[in-house]
Amino acid sequence: MRLPMSPTDSMFLLGESRDHPMHVGGLILLSPRDGATAADLGALFTAAAENGEVAPLWRKRAVRSLGTFGQWAWEQDVDFDLEYHVRRNALPQPGGLDELWDLVSRLHSTLLDRSRPLWQMHVIEGLTDGRLAVYTKIHHALADGVGAMKLLRRALSPDSERTDMPAPWAPFDTPGRPHSPGTALGLPEAAMQAVRTATAEVTGFVPALAGTVNRALRGGGGSLSLAAPNTVINVPISGTRRFAARSWPLARLRTVARAADATVNDVVLAMSSGALRALLTEQKALPDKSLVAMVPVCLRPDKDCAGNELGVLMCDLGTDLADPADRLARVSASTTEGKASMQGMSTLSRLATSALGVAPLAVGILTRNRALPRPPFNVIVSNVPGSPDPLYWNGARVDAVYPLSVPVDGQALNITCTSTDDAIAFGLTSCSRSLPQLQPLLDHFDAALEALEDALGIEPDDDEPSVRAG
């Protein structure tokens, strides 16, 4: 049985090429429980793969559906081969984080096989610190970045003593969801409710669109930007990728947010602003106008993992300002205005205005054009909240969850963050031709956080490490 694919999901298949892979990913670092080793953890993954139990989501593959004018559809793969999708790897010596970033960069550069379900998982041994790394990549048509991270986290538990846990690809027992208010209605009443809902949505669409364009014309926050300058990261890209990551104590970002009456997400954006300003200043390429970040916002009320349903906000990063506190204030004002504009919209209006904001980028993906003469925005910055508690897999503690994303033409760098326990992890994914070295940029992120603390008069906590590598 074939199920039609949504237009948004299909876009990521239609726009994919060798130079433009369209998959997202996640890298988890696991510390074995006392008395166990990374090899023991790897053996658990091998045993789970030999078991052969796989949830339907991981078995579905993308196919052309001739009965629906050639659009893409999903079907279950009757020849599914789990050994192809789950692989074991070993790092070369000395087995440090640099070697891990290099391996994951290569793995993230290769296209997924479209004749099979669009995912792979690599279990990586050989880290000298004794940990196990698990890298997973999933096509953007199957799940967006938020959904991909949720799929990975679903296999984890806050219980450090729990054993016999299933692998991430195995079926899960999920509690029944409560029915939505419309599911118990008869067909005529359900149809009438749909008409009433659609009428209300369309009625609010025109003023929502007008307000979005008006805010963009005056440089305010919202789903549309008309003021992004050209920069050295807004260039055509190749298919090779570079990845690097670093974690910081979440408490440091929360302290900055409280001192500035801002949010943690505002601090993430301000760190990105400071780091990009330093990078472009080093290259004598800092524009006079401020850079603009596109910030994805999840619009799925049911928290479903699969598919893509994202809204966007455009954020003024304040890179034209020298003072870190001023940059944070500019960021906070921009996101506050943008979120306020979205709160007054229906779901349809939020989706429509968000689509307007990313339309130039979507057209470029679909037509495989080179970078636009003027970018709609300069960089994508995502922040995916995670578990506030420690997570485990069969007793092994999750030290970090690093996200990997999708650079596209005109957007040679992607910044994605996710939090786990007491740390927030920044994952940088770039086109290796445009940005071959990411470690210096991570150092700029560290300096940007310290500059924010200094500007706001925050004393460093001697008991808190300034940087947690992995």
Side-chain angles (χ1 to χ4, degrees):
M1 177 180 178
R2 292 184 174 181
L3 297 175
M5 191 182 299
S6 75
T8 303
D9 297 348
S10 299
M11 180 185 72
F12 294 106
L13 288 168
L14 294 170
E16 186 172 58
S17 67
R18 177 61 195 90
D19 284 341
H20 306 91
M22 288 290 169
H23 50 257
V24 295
L27 177 66
I28 296 178
L29 295 182
L30 295 166
S31 286
R33 66 193 309 168
D34 291 343
T37 66
D40 296 330
L41 279 177
L44 290 178
F45 278 97
T46 299
E50 292 173 349
N51 178 276
E53 293 186 0
V54 181
L57 172 67
W58 302 97
R59 287 181 176 271
K60 68 179 188 179
R61 67 185 184 116
V63 292
R64 287 284 194 180
S65 179
L66 297 178
T68 50
F69 305 101
Q71 79 174 74
W72 285 96
W74 295 111
E75 71 173 11
Q76 292 291 302
D77 184 4
V78 295
D79 298 318
F80 182 82
D81 179 10
L82 188 55
E83 288 187 1
Y84 169 83
H85 294 275
V86 181
R87 305 183 178 191
R88 294 184 73 169
N89 303 78
L91 291 178
Q93 293 297 321
L97 289 176
D98 288 342
E99 285 72 34
L100 179 60
W101 306 149
D102 287 344
L103 173 59
V104 172
S105 296
R106 291 195 299 272
L107 295 174
H108 203 61
S109 299
T110 58
L111 293 170
L112 288 161
D113 183 354
R114 291 197 181 188
S115 69
R116 302 173 184 268
L118 295 170
W119 66 277
Q120 275 190 340
M121 184 173 293
H122 294 260
V123 181
I124 304 169
E125 299 178 36
L127 278 163
T128 53
D129 59 16
R131 293 184 293 183
L132 184 79
V134 181
Y135 161 72
T136 304
K137 64 179 177 181
I138 304 173
H139 201 282
H140 214 310
L142 186 63
D144 59 37
V146 174
M149 298 308 292
K150 287 181 178 177
L151 285 168
L152 294 177
R153 286 190 177 121
R154 191 174 62 173
L156 306 173
S157 170
D159 184 359
S160 63
E161 300 300 320
R162 185 178 171 189
T163 58
D164 298 324
M165 292 176 62
W169 60 81
F172 282 79
D173 293 326
T174 55
R177 292 181 181 174
H179 291 291
S180 63
T183 56
L185 297 175
L187 182 58
E189 175 57 24
M192 289 302 297
Q193 179 169 298
V195 171
R196 289 193 295 268
T197 301
T199 302
E201 295 263 330
V202 172
T203 301
F205 169 69
V206 174
L209 181 61
T212 297
V213 174
N214 180 59
R215 282 187 296 275
L217 288 172
R218 59 180 175 80
S223 300
L224 178 65
S225 168
L226 301 174
N230 272 314
T231 75
V232 295
I233 62 174
N234 302 119
V235 293
I237 65 171
S238 68
T240 55
R241 298 288 173 262
R242 285 299 302 169
F243 171 74
R246 191 173 294 178
S247 296
W248 284 267
L250 191 53
R252 290 182 65 187
L253 276 72
R254 287 175 175 151
T255 301
V256 171
R258 285 194 298 268
D261 193 23
T263 68
V264 169
N265 195 53
D266 291 338
V267 179
V268 166
L269 289 163
M271 289 174 63
S272 302
S273 172
L276 290 170
R277 176 183 166 87
L279 173 72
L280 296 174
T281 299
E282 284 181 345
Q283 299 186 15
K284 295 180 171 50
L286 179 67
D288 293 334
K289 291 185 177 180
S290 173
L291 271 64
V292 176
M294 191 271 270
V295 184
V297 180
C298 183
L299 299 179
R300 289 191 302 267
D302 60 359
K303 308 302 181 185
D304 189 9
C305 290
N308 297 272
E309 190 173 329
L310 293 174
V312 301
L313 292 178
M314 302 298 174
C315 176
D316 183 339
L317 290 177
T319 52
D320 56 326
L321 302 174
D323 185 84
D326 291 343
R327 289 198 297 270
L328 178 54
R330 174 86 67 81
V331 165
S332 182
S334 181
T335 58
T336 298
E337 182 179 8
K339 286 184 286 189
S341 70
M342 270 198 168
Q343 287 173 354
M345 296 183 191
S346 65
T347 300
L348 175 63
S349 296
R350 288 197 298 268
L351 285 170
T353 55
S354 295
L356 179 66
V358 298
L361 194 64
V363 170
I365 291 174
L366 288 172
T367 61
R368 300 180 184 179
N369 287 339
R370 308 312 289 169
L372 297 171
R374 187 179 183 89
F377 44 85
N378 300 105
V379 65
I380 299 174
V381 183
S382 305
N383 183 17
V384 184
S387 170
D389 303 311
L391 294 174
Y392 301 85
W393 187 72
N394 285 303
R397 180 175 174 132
V398 177
D399 284 345
V401 181
Y402 291 121
L404 294 89
S405 197
V406 185
V408 295
D409 255 343
Q411 304 286 326
L413 173 68
N414 182 287
I415 302 167
T416 305
C417 309
T418 188
S419 54
T420 302
D421 192 4
D422 61 347
I424 184 166
F426 283 63
L428 309 184
T429 312
S430 72
C431 162
S432 64
R433 184 177 64 188
S434 305
L435 281 175
Q437 300 295 327
L438 292 179
Q439 292 298 331
L441 184 55
L442 285 173
D443 292 338
H444 289 320
F445 273 90
D446 195 34
L449 179 55
E450 291 182 357
L452 284 167
E453 292 169 329
D454 291 342
L456 294 168
I458 298 171
E459 295 293 330
D461 186 349
D462 294 335
D463 296 328
E464 189 76 71
S466 60
V467 174
R468 287 172 38 170

